[in-house]
Amino acid sequence: MIIATALGGILEETGSFEVLTKRMMDKVKTTGTLIGSTLLTTLAVGLASGAQFLAIILPARTFVQKYKDMKIDTKNLSRAVESMGTVGINLIPWSVPAVFASSIFGISAWEFIPYAFFIYLVPLINLLFGFTGWTITRIDYSHEIKSTPGKEEAI
């Protein structure tokens, strides 16, 4: 867990994660593809690290500006990373939550994952919402003031 968190910090501070996701973000033009990209990126981080915390924080911090640029409320970003980073990460047998559940049930993660329908449904419902526009809240962030030490500018 400590190593996964350290990897996340290194990827974020060096800008490596942004470089890895930049090409994908350049292709995102619709709400559905934005939500899908968020889910896919969160899943990829979960696969690579097995850590819930990292699978939620890293994509959320990376995608926040894209949501704002597309005038989509960031609560939709929160819902997308939560659906894959909190619920969907249980699909990854080496993730912390799947290992915990495996030890509680006394069976391997490979045995219970096919029957955990909720884990499949939550990300699929979020994808459906993204492509149909249901429950997607829009907000104009142009009035927001971006503050940096020594100067302020409107976004």
Side-chain angles (χ1 to χ4, degrees):
M1 190 74 155
I2 294 170
I3 293 171
T5 306
L7 172 66
I10 291 168
L11 288 173
E12 187 175 18
E13 283 301 311
T14 61
S16 301
F17 192 70
E18 278 191 48
V19 170
L20 293 171
T21 57
K22 184 176 178 3
R23 179 176 277 175
M24 177 178 50
M25 282 211 227
D26 288 342
K27 293 180 181 180
V28 169
K29 303 290 185 227
T30 67
T31 304
T33 56
L34 181 60
I35 300 281
S37 297
T38 306
L39 293 170
L40 185 64
T41 304
T42 305
L43 177 64
V45 173
L47 283 167
S49 69
Q52 259 181 321
F53 178 75
L54 193 58
I56 294 168
I57 296 297
L58 199 55
R61 290 175 57 103
T62 302
F63 277 86
V64 70
Q65 192 57 50
K66 186 68 173 178
Y67 275 75
K68 288 181 177 183
D69 291 346
M70 292 181 67
K71 295 180 174 49
I72 298 171
D73 194 340
T74 53
K75 73 180 179 182
N76 299 294
L77 167 63
S78 174
R79 184 174 51 199
V81 295
E82 182 276 331
S83 72
M84 190 56 80
T86 304
V87 179
I89 198 164
N90 290 285
L91 292 172
I92 302 167
W94 54 88
S95 69
V96 174
V99 169
F100 175 77
S102 178
S103 67
I104 294 296
F105 294 145
I107 60 175
S108 78
W110 295 104
E111 293 178 81
F112 73 80
I113 287 175
Y115 302 102
F117 302 114
F118 179 73
I119 298 170
Y120 299 104
L121 287 176
V122 172
L124 288 174
I125 289 170
N126 274 280
L127 201 56
L128 175 72
F129 287 166
F131 280 103
T132 62
W134 296 338
T135 75
I136 301 298
T137 307
R138 301 202 175 271
I139 191 168
D140 187 7
Y141 288 98
S142 62
H143 65 279
E144 191 175 282
I145 301 295
K146 183 177 182 180
S147 173
T148 55
K151 75 176 184 180
E152 291 183 355
E153 58 185 68
I155 295 179

